[in-house]
Amino acid sequence: MKITETSLPGLLVIEPRVFEDERGYFFETYQEERYKEAGINTNFIQDNESKSVRGVVRGLHYQLAPWAQAKLVRVVQGRVFDVAVDLRKGSPTFGQWLGVELSEQNKKQMLVPRGFAHGFSVLSETAVFSYKCDNIYDREAERSINPNDSMLKINWNLEGADPIISEKDAAAPMLSNAEMNFIFEK
Ligand SMILES: Cc1cn([C@H]2C[C@H](O)[C@@H](COP(=O)(O)OP(=O)(O)O[C@H]3O[C@H](C)C(=O)[C@H](O)[C@H]3O)O2)c(=O)[nH]c1=O
């Protein structure tokens, strides 16, 4: 397993060890002891899965404390451009975002710490997205940032596809206008 730190402290890219043979492939998508040995001491308690069609942009979402979630995200089928935004108060990279292509082919995972907003765009005909969370979903604590935020200027790499965004996300505030009380302690 290879772990790569990114320019946003705590945001990691993980490349699991994949076993391939004439039948196909096998890999452990998560293994508590190995991930803890690598410094990922997150206690995941919920697994999620979503399927989306080309052009879909889900997010940017986060949950207010004490319901903030760390996520271990990956793609089971297809290709996505996965984006995390640092919202941690006092972080040297506060307000910065980073995107990584996660796919069925590269089998890369991203560890998104608490205090980040998260979202992704779908680059393939369909994409099945699977992720672990270390806190439950709390509808009242959930907040969104507009995926077209004028300050973040995220390029979702839609490769010409028309964006498909939920009503909730299309109506989400821009980061500059969002409730500043979502600022997380680092
Ligand atoms: C996230 C979540 C949602 N729901 C229900 C709430 C809605 O009735 C329905 C669809 O929810 P939503 O449109 O918020 O789904 P996404 O747009 O995929 O949300 C996710 O998008 C980005 C990529 C994220 O990182 C978050 O994990 C998550 O917010 O599932 C649940 O019952 N449990 C959950 O944990």
Side-chain angles (χ1 to χ4, degrees), residues 46 48 50 58-59 61 69 71 118-120 129 131 133 137 139 142 166 168-169:
Q46 178 174 313
N48 294 336
S50 66
R58 291 184 185 255
H61 301 157
Q69 293 174 312
K71 297 164 188 169
H118 175 252
F120 64 87
F129 194 81
Y131 54 111
C133 303
Y137 172 65
R139 194 184 296 266
E142 188 185 46
S166 69
K168 175 181 77 173
D169 293 343

Side-chain angles (χ1 to χ4, degrees), residues 13 21 52 57 60 69 73 80 107 114 131 145 178:
V13 176
D21 60 26
S52 310
V57 178
L60 295 154
Q69 293 174 312
V73 305
V80 310
K107 298 181 179 54
R114 292 185 177 189
Y131 54 111
I145 295 171

Side-chain angles (χ1 to χ4, degrees), residues 26-148:
F26 175 93
F27 71 105
E28 294 179 358
T29 56
Y30 175 70
Q31 203 263 22
E32 182 179 348
E33 184 180 342
R34 183 176 310 117
Y35 278 61
K36 286 189 186 305
E37 283 170 3
I40 300 172
N41 296 300
T42 311
N43 178 34
F44 296 109
I45 61 165
Q46 178 174 313
D47 283 356
N48 294 336
E49 179 174 307
S50 66
K51 180 173 184 178
S52 310
V53 298
R54 181 189 298 275
V56 162
V57 178
R58 291 184 185 255
L60 295 154
H61 301 157
Y62 58 93
Q63 294 193 161
L64 297 175
W67 306 110
Q69 293 174 312
K71 297 164 188 169
L72 179 63
V73 305
R74 67 189 185 95
V75 170
V76 178
Q77 180 274 319
R79 287 170 58 215
V80 310
F81 184 65
D82 198 72
V83 172
V85 184
D86 188 353
L87 299 178
R88 296 169 301 183
K89 185 174 184 177
S91 168
T93 55
F94 174 79
Q96 294 184 31
W97 67 273
L98 182 138
V100 173
E101 183 171 318
L102 307 179
S103 71
E104 180 182 354
Q105 279 69 37
N106 70 26
K107 298 181 179 54
K108 287 183 180 179
Q109 302 172 338
M110 189 126 86
L111 189 281
V112 182
R114 292 185 177 189
F116 280 73
H118 175 252
F120 64 87
S121 57
V122 178
L123 311 180
S124 45
E125 279 313 303
T126 60
V128 174
F129 194 81
S130 175
Y131 54 111
K132 308 179 84 67
C133 303
D134 73 339
N135 219 339
I136 58 169
Y137 172 65
D138 185 286
R139 194 184 296 266
E140 302 311 314
E142 188 185 46
R143 294 295 184 274
S144 299
I145 295 171
N146 195 297
N148 295 315

